[in-house]
Amino acid sequence: MSVMDRFRTEVDGAVRSALSKMGVDSEFSIEIPSTDAADLAVPCFLMSKALKRAPKDIAEELASNIEPSGLISDVSALNGYLNFKMDGVKLTEGTLKDVLEMKGRYGSLPNKGVKVIVEHTSTNPTGPIHVGRARNPIIGDTLARILGMCGYDVSTEYYVNDVGKQVVILTWGVNNLTKEQVEKEIEDRGMQDDRDKIDHKLVAYYRLANKMMEEDPAVQEEIGSMLRKFEAGDEEVISTVRKTAEIMLNGLKETLANIDVVLDTYTWESKFIADGSARKYVEELKQSKYAGVEDDGACYLELKDFGIQGKNTRFTFTRADGTTLYTTRDIAYHQDKFKRADKLIDVLGEDQKLGNKQLCCALEILGQTRKLDAMFYSFVSLPEGKMSTRKGVVVYLDDLIDEAVSRAYDEIRSRRDDMPEDRMREIAKIIGVGAIRYNIVRVQPEKQLVFKWEEALSFDGNSGPFLQYSYARACSMLRKAGDFEEVVDPSLLTDPFELSLIKTISKFESVIEQAGENRRIHLLPAYGHELASAFNQFYASVPVLNSKAEKDARLTLVKCSKIVLKNVLDCLGLGAPEEM
């Protein structure tokens, strides 16, 4: 148990004892205040209703019933908050010893024995990932990393849509169009993409096949026939479509790997047709009292009793010809996931809110008692507004990565002309990718995000490069220092900037817990910025290498800062360069 855990436990016990003295029993929460007025605080506003007293009066009476002891050095009441200060000497000693002992595990919580599946990305395998959806894999991967630190057994999953009309159109195009036809279409439309990457090459086949389907009834019938055969379980068609989807998916995996996102499992939508589970749930839903049949024979669920209003109350789960829809197979997929995990989290675009609600209703109708947890995000845009390039197509995530790495390289070259070319390129990749990941998760997912280069690649502001630069600075100081003795002595670390840095380090575990349990991953980059700022203020104000009696103690603090900065970078999925 870390020193902050012990402090929180003592605060919890002190408040419960004080409430008992007052003859009352009330629930309360303990939080880290946003100011330096306290190290932990108990807001008394929730107690106010139960006790029928003003929060200010409750806080003051509680404070009068608590004597400082143990790790608690001071108790006070202010504006309805019960504030606790921690003994500074014990905070310094306990925090630094915790970091040195736990190292890469510092900030992590005990194993909970709870299995969690985080599904993210799951973009259709019909073209490259575009910038608008760039938030999905980065949010999903970051959340999974944080939940792992929270003590959960986390698995990430990508649901591959290899059944729908789009992937059948792509497959038809790949198997029926010539390279010359596709190249002519690209030239005519001015959409030349010189990137030698399979997903970029195949998307041209999809575009032309889709155009031909809209214009030629014969092509439309061929594609429709393939779709019906797929639904009927035709092994040859299923195999052909799967092969095309796998080729496209390889390109998407390459993009994800370039931003350090690797998923544990890829589950194919066709599985739920092949194993009969989609059809099984169709038959079960048909027996529900909420089921109905449209005039054309399509089956639906009437969901107005579940709080869905207006024209969206009908949730269609079969076509008129009886074949299943994506929504039906999604039901089968989630039932399958519930068999494999204790908690399910889906990372979804804001345009999926209704679909997710309808899915949850269908699962409830089928008797599923566990709840599906969803994290919704708003889409990314660029300052220019519409996401288009000189090529006349959307901006892909690959384009964003290339641009970030190129800009990072220019910045490094302007700062470090002494660095070998291959090393500059290596660090530029780390910084460019880090800039993208950090800039995307620093904004609350539900808020709109306009990606601005000057913010993302700043070496001084709230950015990935600033966090990475602070880590590299700590590494540089330790390299220059050479060998030293690890010294944890609070009497040698009394400067206000030292104490501020130590207190910031001590918050890490609490931030991890809040970010994971409350799905507020933006708290982690905010903490990273706070930690990097505190370290740089310490660096600028307190002599380390030239100090005397305090030198080893201060180098120990630098080492602890380096460890925690690295842990933050790892949890955010950012590389940790030891020089910049």
Side-chain angles (χ1 to χ4, degrees), residues 161 163-170 206 213 220 223 227 319:
N161 180 356
V163 178
K165 189 174 184 180
Q166 287 183 320
V167 76
V168 171
I169 293 171
L170 172 63
Y206 171 77
M213 182 192 69
Q220 186 177 46
I223 291 172
L227 195 57
R319 297 187 185 90

Side-chain angles (χ1 to χ4, degrees), residues 10 14 63-76 84-85:
E10 289 187 17
S64 69
N65 281 301
I66 299 174
E67 285 294 326
S69 64
L71 293 172
I72 301 171
S73 64
D74 183 70
V75 186
S76 62
F84 292 85
K85 283 271 193 180

Side-chain angles (χ1 to χ4, degrees), residues 110 296 497 511 573:
D296 64 0
F497 290 105
V511 171

Side-chain angles (χ1 to χ4, degrees), residues 330-386:
D330 204 22
I331 292 168
Y333 172 49
H334 282 82
Q335 291 285 58
D336 176 69
K337 285 197 290 184
F338 273 122
K339 294 173 185 175
R340 297 185 279 118
D342 303 299
K343 289 178 177 289
L344 305 184
I345 303 172
D346 289 355
V347 179
L348 302 166
E350 59 188 355
D351 58 340
Q352 297 297 312
K353 286 184 178 180
L354 173 62
N356 177 259
K357 173 66 174 174
Q358 292 171 328
L359 169 65
C360 291
C361 294
L363 290 169
E364 185 177 341
I365 289 169
L366 287 168
Q368 180 55 254
T369 56
R370 284 182 287 170
K371 300 297 182 184
L372 170 63
D373 190 358
M375 269 189 76
F376 295 103
Y377 64 90
S378 295
F379 300 120
V380 179
S381 62
L382 300 176
E384 296 79 10
K386 185 179 179 182

Side-chain angles (χ1 to χ4, degrees), residues 44-285:
C44 297
F45 304 96
L46 289 176
M47 297 185 205
S48 180
K49 286 185 179 179
L51 305 184
K52 295 182 171 55
R53 294 177 58 188
K56 178 176 177 292
D57 295 339
I58 297 171
E60 289 173 352
E61 184 169 353
L62 284 170
S64 69
N65 281 301
I66 299 174
E67 285 294 326
S69 64
L71 293 172
I72 301 171
S73 64
D74 183 70
V75 186
S76 62
L78 180 66
N79 299 327
Y81 284 87
L82 180 63
N83 293 325
F84 292 85
K85 283 271 193 180
M86 184 175 177
D87 183 291
V89 170
K90 292 176 181 176
L91 173 65
T92 294
E93 185 176 33
T95 298
L96 299 186
K97 282 184 175 179
D98 285 343
V99 176
L100 293 171
E101 179 184 344
M102 297 184 72
K103 296 184 173 63
R105 295 182 296 107
Y106 181 74
S108 61
L109 284 75
N111 187 277
K112 292 178 170 61
V114 176
K115 173 76 174 176
V116 179
I117 293 177
V118 177
E119 183 208 332
H120 67 77
T121 309
S122 299
T123 187
N124 285 344
T126 54
I129 301 169
H130 67 74
V131 167
R133 299 273 178 183
R135 260 179 144 170
N136 198 315
I138 294 172
I139 288 172
D141 184 68
T142 306
L143 175 63
R145 290 169 187 259
I146 293 171
L147 290 173
M149 288 281 285
C150 284
Y152 290 99
D153 178 9
V154 184
S155 177
T156 53
E157 197 155 316
Y158 187 124
Y159 185 43
V160 188
N161 180 356
D162 65 329
V163 178
K165 189 174 184 180
Q166 287 183 320
V167 76
V168 171
I169 293 171
L170 172 63
T171 302
W172 183 91
V174 168
N175 287 281
N176 290 275
L177 299 175
T178 65
K179 182 180 178 181
E180 290 72 26
Q181 283 178 292
V182 173
E183 288 178 348
K184 185 177 185 305
E185 176 69 12
I186 290 172
E187 185 178 343
D188 290 346
R189 297 180 65 176
M191 298 188 305
Q192 186 65 42
D193 188 343
D194 53 9
R195 190 184 299 274
D196 187 22
K197 195 161 171 287
I198 193 63
D199 49 331
H200 287 258
K201 291 183 179 301
L202 289 191
V203 71
Y205 285 82
Y206 171 77
R207 290 196 187 105
L208 180 54
N210 192 60
K211 177 184 175 185
M212 292 174 67
M213 182 192 69
E214 293 173 350
E215 297 174 352
D216 188 339
V219 173
Q220 186 177 46
E221 174 52 34
E222 286 183 36
I223 291 172
S225 175
M226 282 182 67
L227 195 57
R228 290 189 293 272
K229 287 178 180 178
F230 196 119
E231 276 280 336
D234 186 303
E235 292 184 5
E236 183 179 352
V237 173
I238 290 175
S239 175
T240 302
V241 173
R242 169 74 72 92
K243 182 179 178 182
T244 304
E246 284 177 338
I247 293 170
M248 179 65 82
L249 191 60
N250 286 336
L252 304 183
K253 286 180 180 179
E254 185 180 333
T255 299
L256 295 173
N258 283 335
I259 53 169
D260 294 321
V261 174
V262 178
L263 289 103
D264 298 312
T265 304
Y266 288 81
T267 299
W268 296 82
E269 187 181 346
S270 57
K271 167 188 173 182
F272 304 105
I273 292 176
D275 67 9
S277 57
R279 178 55 53 190
K280 170 181 174 288
Y281 291 119
V282 164
E283 297 307 317
E284 289 184 25
L285 289 173

